[in-house]
Amino acid sequence: GQQVMQIPQYQHVQEGEDFTTYCNSSTTLSNIQWYKQRPGGHPVFLIQLVKSGEVKKQKRLTFQFGEAKKNSSLHITATQTTDVGTYFCAGPMEYGNKLVFGAGTILRVKS
Amino acid sequence: ETGVTQTPRHLVMGMTNKKSLKCEQHLGHNAMYWYKQSAKKPLELMFVYSLEERVENNSVPSRFSPECPNSSHLFLHLHTLQPEDSALYLCASSPSPIDTGELFFGEGSRLTVL
């Protein structure tokens, strides 16, 4: 079945270092979404990318959608302790238009 | 405040108990969802409701029984659960189930089955 894979599963960085998480789909996606879940919290929508090769920025966060619309990345520049949490990507299923979530990347930041 | 409210936030139940999780959305959305979040596993879609009609049941065991009396309320009735059903149950809503746009999640109900 359709799968959305994320790597790495876990990353521990020093405050101020950069962080990147990658998302790969087994099928072409019409769009990709990113969510953040703080420890003990619930997923919160960050952004949606729709166009091939699209790049969007939110302050220190940069989101990319691959040219083939099968992969995406989230890059955080100069991480801060407020960035800790799990970052999920999600893409629509090939049939049914329901979102399939990746397993997430857990980010920990040492101050 | 997310606009999606879930109660209770925490629930401990025995395998023979019957309990219900409640979700209410104040966003005027037409679609509501139940997701299960277990440790180290992706979010699993359980049920989708569109305008109070169930449009998706993702092979969920019958010990989980959803109910959607109107477009603002969603319940998940639980009975004879197993310890492996312990998880965070997340309710979400979206303007439409057809357009795969942003999901608005509630804070979740943490369920422990003893």
Side-chain angles (χ1 to χ4, degrees), chain A residues 4 30-31 33 35 37 40-45 48 88 92-93 95-104, chain B residues 2 9 33 35 37 40-43 45 48 55-56 88 90 97-103 105-108:
Chain A
V4 175
S30 59
N31 69 75
Q33 300 177 25
Y35 291 78
Q37 185 173 17
H42 58 281
V44 175
F45 175 83
Q48 177 174 288
F88 296 96
M93 290 175 65
Y95 303 104
N97 286 329
K98 303 305 176 285
L99 282 179
V100 176
F101 280 81
Chain B
T2 68
R9 294 292 310 281
Y33 310 77
Y35 279 87
Q37 188 174 39
K40 300 182 181 178
K41 292 178 69 175
L43 281 162
L45 178 63
V48 181
V55 297
E56 182 119 2
L88 181 68
L90 290 159
I98 299 174
D99 175 18
T100 51
E102 175 183 354
L103 288 178
F105 284 91
E107 294 183 338

Side-chain angles (χ1 to χ4, degrees), chain B residues 3-21:
Chain B
V4 180
T5 304
Q6 288 187 242
T7 55
R9 294 292 310 281
H10 300 273
L11 178 63
V12 178
M13 59 187 290
M15 289 191 285
T16 58
N17 292 158
K18 289 185 180 182
K19 298 285 184 183
S20 296
L21 307 180

Side-chain angles (χ1 to χ4, degrees), chain A residues 43-62:
Chain A
V44 175
F45 175 83
L46 293 177
I47 206 161
Q48 177 174 288
L49 304 173
V50 179
K51 298 177 183 176
S52 169
E54 189 170 11
V55 178
K56 287 188 176 180
K57 291 191 175 185
Q58 291 179 350
K59 296 183 181 179
R60 295 177 295 104
L61 277 60
T62 302

Side-chain angles (χ1 to χ4, degrees), chain A residues 3 6 42 53 63 91 103 105:
Chain A
Q3 290 187 320
Q6 269 188 265
H42 58 281
F63 303 84
T105 296

